[in-house]
Amino acid sequence: MRNNTRYNMQPKSSHHINGAYVEDIDGAAIENHYAATGEIIATVHSATPAIIDQAITAAHNAQAEWAARPGIERGRILLRAAELLRQRNDEIARIETHDTGKALQETLYVDAVSAADNFEYFGHIAATMVGENIPLGESFALTRLEAVGVCAAIGAWNYPVQVASWKAAPALACGNAMVFKPSEMTPLSALILAEILSEAGLPDGLFNVIQGKGDVGAALTAHPLVDKVSLTGSVPTGSKVMAGAAESLKLVTLELGGKSPLIIFDDADVENAVSGALLGNFYSTGQVCSNGTRVFVQSGIRETFTRRLIERTAAIKLGDPMDEDTQMGPMISASQRDIALSYIEKGKSEGANLLFGGNAVKMQGLENGHFIEPTIFDGVTDTMTIAREEIFGPVLSILEFNNEEEVISRANDTDFGLSAGVFTRDIARAHRVVEKMQAGTCWINNYNITPVGVPFGGVKRSGMGRENAKAAIEHYSQIKSIYVEMGDVDAPY
Ligand code: NAD
């Protein structure tokens, strides 16, 4: 089915604060471009200091009453939001495709769906977030799970509504209020989420969206009424957010970048391993934090694996992201595409062997789009730049290995630690290897699957804290311990 309808993407206004759209044209204009054509689809204004204060104050004023409600009441509103996200799935998919350039084939099935799953999961468990009773002989102690307060959340541009929801759903379930700043590249879908939460019955002030670049993110991080900051973004931004939050000792969750290993052993099912490598490198035009961009392939399977990888990569349909047959859209911006192209040049100049792709593409009718071929290198060594730095584009590197011990040590030889994947039919070996992986999320015989019930996050420089699953609760709540004396006070005085 073809659907080239171009929607008017201009939102009602730039920000959504205290349950209503708010504008302040004193803030610098931020143009929003469609990645497939380069044309401007919306313009929003960066939050001024007054808007930042307005949003944080609204969150602050609304939070205590929300936290005092029974979890089941909070959960009911989140469940309604999940339903509304599903009802508006197609609209959100079209917004995400225009905002990011990701193929509609993906956004129709992943972005709002993952967001809805999150609200559904945390809606269901909101009533179960309770403390413990700790017997102490005659006396006992209680713990209460209490909200943190006002959470500032800052998003990346690759999965806009998903990133917002992965933060908002657990935060709201735990009784917090949130001010969310989407990436300046993708300002639109968070505003729809704010509309949906209001319609679902969320009291005003609990989920606010303000626009802006890094300076607005930094202002949120520094604000005295903010108790916690959650960032999804790059490692350098993670360092800045942590440094900013350190001043006032705010809690921090960081979901950062990666350079993850995907290990293919000789005994792997070749077609499944190739599927994993394709999903782990070319989905969302390679703009996925957890991508397995260092594909370690054991010598015995290398030839067959590489042949099938190239054949199947050559069949990927690159093109108009609004065409549902398109499998790979453009990159989000000319500058991101140019970064990927410069890494490809580095790969070539440092001696890697370019097996497939490597070029920018001019698509007929979409000549100003930021298209790039899915790209495969082999002969990549551990010290080459393309094997060490996050490219965040569709560039796959094949590194050959001989044995298990060797590949474990090479796979871990990185500052990052977001994810890792292993393909093998030997399940004992699979477990042995993932146990040694320095990574927050590992997949055996699959790649990049992130169901809401499984914690997601990184170690080393890929971040701290976890999103999804019950693990997220501890990052949006704090424990109060209450000792209860049942006898007399034993004092030596
Ligand atoms: P980025 O770090 O450039 O920006 C992320 C967000 O931080 C944006 O909203 C930006 O405006 C804001 N920001 C920038 N400077 C700031 C500052 N000093 N203080 C506060 N906020 C600031 O990242 P990006 O280019 O938007 O996203 C790509 C990166 O995100 C990649 O490294 C990718 O791996 C990572 N990512 C990680 C995950 C994950 O879950 N681990 C998911 C998606 C993307």
Side-chain angles (χ1 to χ4, degrees):
M1 187 189 97
R2 287 188 69 85
N3 186 345
N4 284 315
T5 317
R6 217 157 268 163
Y7 283 64
N8 177 8
M9 296 290 152
Q10 185 61 40
K12 289 183 193 138
S13 54
S14 299
H15 320 289
H16 199 281
I17 300 173
N18 218 9
Y21 275 102
V22 176
E23 190 55 274
D24 180 353
I25 55 166
D26 284 349
I30 300 175
E31 286 175 353
N32 187 16
H33 296 259
Y34 180 30
T37 62
E39 70 195 287
I40 297 172
I41 54 168
T43 302
V44 295
H45 291 273
S46 175
T48 55
I51 287 284
I52 297 171
D53 264 342
Q54 198 180 325
I56 293 174
T57 306
H60 177 74
N61 291 342
Q63 190 264 326
E65 189 273 333
W66 175 244
R69 290 191 189 196
I72 198 160
E73 269 186 40
R74 294 198 298 267
R76 202 174 293 139
I77 291 170
L78 303 193
L79 290 172
R80 177 88 185 109
E83 233 175 82
L84 294 170
L85 275 160
R86 292 209 165 89
Q87 279 170 22
R88 293 178 73 173
N89 181 65
D90 289 15
E91 174 197 354
I92 295 171
R94 283 174 169 76
I95 287 174
E96 296 295 55
T97 288
H98 277 87
D99 228 355
T100 63
K102 293 193 297 182
L104 199 57
Q105 192 185 87
E106 298 184 10
T107 55
L108 277 173
Y109 301 99
V110 172
D111 297 66
V113 173
S114 165
D117 282 357
N118 239 267
F119 280 100
E120 197 169 359
Y121 181 91
F122 288 102
H124 279 301
I125 68 167
T128 71
M129 297 175 184
V130 293
E132 293 176 308
N133 182 318
I134 304 157
L136 298 167
E138 274 184 12
S139 300
F140 66 97
L142 304 171
T143 61
R144 278 168 55 84
L145 279 191
E146 297 189 343
V148 173
V150 174
C151 303
I154 303 170
W157 44 260
N158 57 344
Y159 282 88
V161 81
Q162 176 182 295
V163 168
S165 303
W166 283 21
K167 297 183 188 309
L172 294 171
C174 291
N176 301 285
M178 178 163 278
V179 178
F180 182 75
K181 187 199 84 62
S183 163
E184 58 272 29
M185 315 263 273
T186 51
L188 302 177
S189 58
L191 294 167
I192 304 293
L193 180 61
E195 274 182 19
I196 284 176
L197 282 164
S198 286
E199 194 186 334
L202 188 73
D204 294 347
L206 290 168
F207 182 73
N208 308 279
V209 175
I210 62 170
Q211 309 292 348
K213 300 186 179 178
D215 57 327
V216 175
L220 285 174
T221 306
H223 201 287
L225 287 183
V226 168
D227 302 289
K228 183 211 161 90
V229 188
S230 175
L231 166 79
T232 297
S234 60
V235 173
T237 305
S239 298
K240 286 183 202 156
V241 164
M242 205 166 165
E247 180 102 357
S248 47
L249 289 174
K250 292 180 172 67
L251 300 172
V252 174
T253 294
L254 301 174
E255 293 290 347
L256 308 178
K259 189 75 201 173
S260 301
L262 169 57
I263 303 171
I264 319 282
F265 283 98
D266 280 346
D267 67 343
D269 178 294
V270 176
E271 290 306 317
N272 282 333
V274 170
S275 296
L278 293 171
L279 285 168
N281 279 276
F282 301 143
Y283 205 73
S284 297
T285 321
Q287 303 160 121
V288 182
C289 51
S290 49
N291 270 357
T293 47
R294 290 183 295 141
V295 183
F296 289 95
V297 187
Q298 202 165 14
S299 2
I301 200 177
R302 191 178 63 85
E303 233 176 88
T304 327
F305 173 86
T306 306
R307 181 174 49 77
R308 287 297 293 142
L309 182 69
I310 291 173
E311 282 166 7
R312 289 177 58 184
T313 301
I316 290 176
K317 191 165 180 274
L318 186 68
D320 178 355
M322 286 298 287
D323 180 340
E324 273 188 58
D325 289 336
T326 293
Q327 293 172 316
M328 203 171 127
M331 291 191 67
I332 188 150
S333 66
S335 64
Q336 287 296 319
R337 182 205 49 207
D338 292 345
I339 290 171
L341 288 172
S342 76
Y343 274 111
I344 291 169
E345 284 314 309
K346 268 188 204 137
K348 288 196 276 189
S349 68
E350 290 178 16
N353 180 22
L354 180 64
L355 286 184
F356 190 88
N359 303 300
V361 181
K362 281 237 175 294
M363 300 296 303
Q364 205 185 349
L366 300 169
E367 286 79 6
N368 293 325
H370 318 304
F371 293 92
I372 181 170
E373 292 169 320
T375 297
I376 302 171
F377 280 102
D378 80 349
V380 178
T381 63
D382 297 343
T383 53
M384 287 180 184
T385 312
I386 57 169
R388 301 218 69 82
E389 296 181 12
E390 184 183 44
I391 299 174
F392 221 57
V395 183
L396 181 159
S397 292
I398 296 177
L399 301 96
E400 189 172 352
F401 75 94
N402 292 308
N403 65 60
E404 187 178 314
E405 204 182 326
E406 168 207 344
V407 78
I408 289 170
S409 117
R410 291 173 62 192
N412 284 335
D413 179 20
T414 167
D415 290 337
F416 296 106
L418 191 52
S419 327
V422 180
F423 276 82
T424 173
R425 286 194 172 92
D426 179 345
I427 200 71
R429 170 159 64 191
H431 282 283
R432 226 168 31 233
V433 172
V434 294
E435 200 179 298
K436 301 237 170 68
M437 285 295 107
Q438 296 165 358
T441 308
C442 297
W443 292 281
I444 294 174
N445 291 331
N446 208 329
Y447 205 83
N448 267 354
I449 308 291
T450 55
V452 62
V454 183
F456 181 83
V459 300
K460 293 160 86 176
R461 290 201 198 156
S462 290
M464 57 191 62
R466 291 292 176 273
E467 294 192 318
N468 288 344
K470 290 188 201 143
I473 298 169
E474 72 182 82
H475 302 288
Y476 285 104
S477 60
Q478 43 200 357
I479 295 174
K480 176 180 282 171
S481 300
I482 305 164
Y483 178 92
V484 183
E485 180 58 66
M486 299 294 284
D488 292 328
V489 177
D490 182 13
Y493 317 106

